[in-house]
Amino acid sequence: VQLQASGGGLVQPGGSLRLSCAASGFTFDIYAMGWYRQAPGKERDLVATINYDGDTTTYSDSVKGRFTISRDNAKNTLYLQMSDLEPEDTAKYFCAKYEGAYFYTTSPIDWGQGTLVTVSS
């Protein structure tokens, strides 16, 4: 399993970024996926999850209405569109593969290396 996250960088408050996670080494379209983040000195927290078919998603309260998780199963790629970014969104963002097709019945078991997002003026 390989999960290659990209798209991070420095952005001003109120700005937008789109993260991508290129997946390989497994059958992407039968697994739920998720985005997590870890700020310096803090634990890794869930940001958003999506079922195998993209039809069901969930978000943490802190990003609801600002972030959108999606997937393109034809391209084996997971996305996170982030808008109206705040300094509190600064963290390393990780994509994760879940054990099964539905995030609400399984847990993440494989992780990418992460991409750093810094929100600062």
Side-chain angles (χ1 to χ4, degrees), residues 19-86:
L19 306 184
S20 299
C21 175
S24 60
F26 65 100
T27 305
F28 181 73
D29 61 3
I30 63 172
Y31 291 97
M33 300 290 295
W35 286 100
Y36 289 72
R37 67 185 181 186
Q38 187 168 18
K42 296 188 177 181
E43 294 185 352
R44 189 174 298 186
D45 291 328
L46 173 66
V47 175
T49 54
I50 188 167
N51 275 348
Y52 75 102
D53 58 4
D55 281 357
T56 305
T57 59
T58 61
Y59 299 90
S60 67
D61 288 343
S62 61
V63 307
K64 200 172 295 182
R66 301 188 297 121
F67 290 11
T68 302
I69 188 172
S70 62
R71 62 192 298 162
D72 186 336
N73 285 345
K75 295 182 178 179
N76 289 353
T77 303
L78 177 72
Y79 302 101
L80 185 68
Q81 178 67 49
M82 306 186 293
S83 303
D84 195 19
L85 283 160
E86 304 168 352

Side-chain angles (χ1 to χ4, degrees), residues 101-121:
Y102 302 96
F103 56 79
Y104 43 80
T105 59
T106 61
S107 300
I109 57 170
D110 295 293
W111 301 88
Q113 87 293 349
T115 186
L116 183 62
V117 173
T118 303
V119 184
S120 176
S121 55

